[in-house]
Amino acid sequence: MGGMRTLSLELRPLGLNLEEEAPLVHQVYRGSPGYFTLIGMELPTLEDVLQDLNTLAQDPRRRAFLLFQGPEPLGYLDYKLHYPEEGDATLSLLLIREDHQGQGLGQRALAHLVEGLAGMERLYAVVYGNNPRAKAFFLAQGFRYVKDGGPAIQWYVRPLSPHRFQPR
Ligand code: ACO
């Protein structure tokens, strides 16, 4: 276990084999019961996860990833490209397993994601429920609050390219 910290982080794209991938996503969800309590949802079943991933795979703009550092999946994230506008991306969920939260993994996963979004102008984050930790996290990562998108939905945004006015 002593070497864990030196292992590099991998965002593994989902969608190639959902039957194999869904149990891994479900494993991450089962390791994060507090999040589902927080948003007032039952923990999704494996079937729910498979169905959600299937729906997601139908939309070419949506991308889902498992986060690995070593053999165990430690987190999950998904986002949508060119949403709400062309040049935007919107993060729907970044989830780090409870036993691995607060160790910088969320921050590193986000940095990884941002690297992969080269060419996009803005990254939105949609936060559901009363989630002070997520708010603190996104504010600390350079996002600013934009607006409420409903009674329990807050939108945050950060610019992605510091060179957006540079001629191409
Ligand atoms: N209170 C205040 N600030 C915090 C907290 C906290 N409990 N946790 C993290 N932060 C801030 C700090 O500034 C921290 O920097 P520091 O460690 O130098 O002080 C910074 O965020 C980065 O912290 P990480 O260790 O990278 O955070 P973590 O790995 O725990 O990831 C996340 C954060 C994704 C919110 C994680 O805790 C999680 O999965 N929570 C449950 C699911 C969730 O709510 N996800 C967000 C939903 S909304 C959306 O995804 C769009």
Side-chain angles (χ1 to χ4, degrees):
M1 294 298 278
M4 287 296 273
R5 274 164 206 280
T6 62
L7 291 177
S8 67
L9 213 60
E10 183 200 352
L11 284 182
R12 196 176 297 172
L14 300 180
L16 291 174
N17 186 342
L18 293 183
E19 296 283 343
E20 268 181 25
E21 294 159 354
L24 299 176
V25 174
H26 193 231
Q27 189 181 327
V28 171
Y29 283 6
R30 280 186 288 124
S32 317
Y35 176 65
F36 296 95
T37 306
L38 186 79
I39 64 169
M41 250 183 86
E42 297 270 331
L43 198 78
T45 64
L46 177 56
E47 234 168 81
D48 295 333
V49 172
L50 188 55
Q51 204 167 15
D52 288 350
L53 290 177
N54 254 308
T55 306
L56 208 135
Q58 313 285 316
D59 185 343
R61 292 184 303 173
R62 293 187 67 182
R63 307 283 157 86
F65 298 83
L66 274 169
L67 180 72
F68 283 89
Q69 190 184 41
E72 292 260 305
L74 300 184
Y76 168 88
L77 70 86
D78 71 63
Y79 62 87
K80 188 168 176 172
L81 285 173
H82 300 300
Y83 182 83
E85 304 286 343
E86 191 76 25
D88 298 335
T90 295
L91 182 64
S92 327
L93 181 59
L94 168 61
L95 183 68
I96 304 295
R97 246 169 52 184
E98 268 165 40
D99 58 352
H100 284 75
Q101 287 176 10
Q103 300 170 17
L105 273 177
Q107 190 167 5
R108 290 172 60 203
L110 187 69
H112 226 67
L113 166 63
V114 164
E115 264 174 50
L117 289 175
M120 305 297 287
E121 287 192 32
R122 275 170 298 275
L123 177 61
Y124 287 91
V126 187
V127 179
Y128 291 89
N130 177 24
N131 193 343
R133 182 176 198 168
K135 290 173 192 176
F137 173 78
F138 287 110
L139 290 174
Q141 303 307 313
F143 287 75
R144 65 176 174 82
Y145 168 79
V146 183
K147 61 168 185 183
D148 285 4
I153 300 174
Q154 296 91 37
W155 284 75
Y156 291 80
V157 72
R158 67 171 264 189
L160 287 176
S161 168
H163 306 302
R164 51 192 287 208
F165 299 117
Q166 221 170 272
R168 300 191 175 174

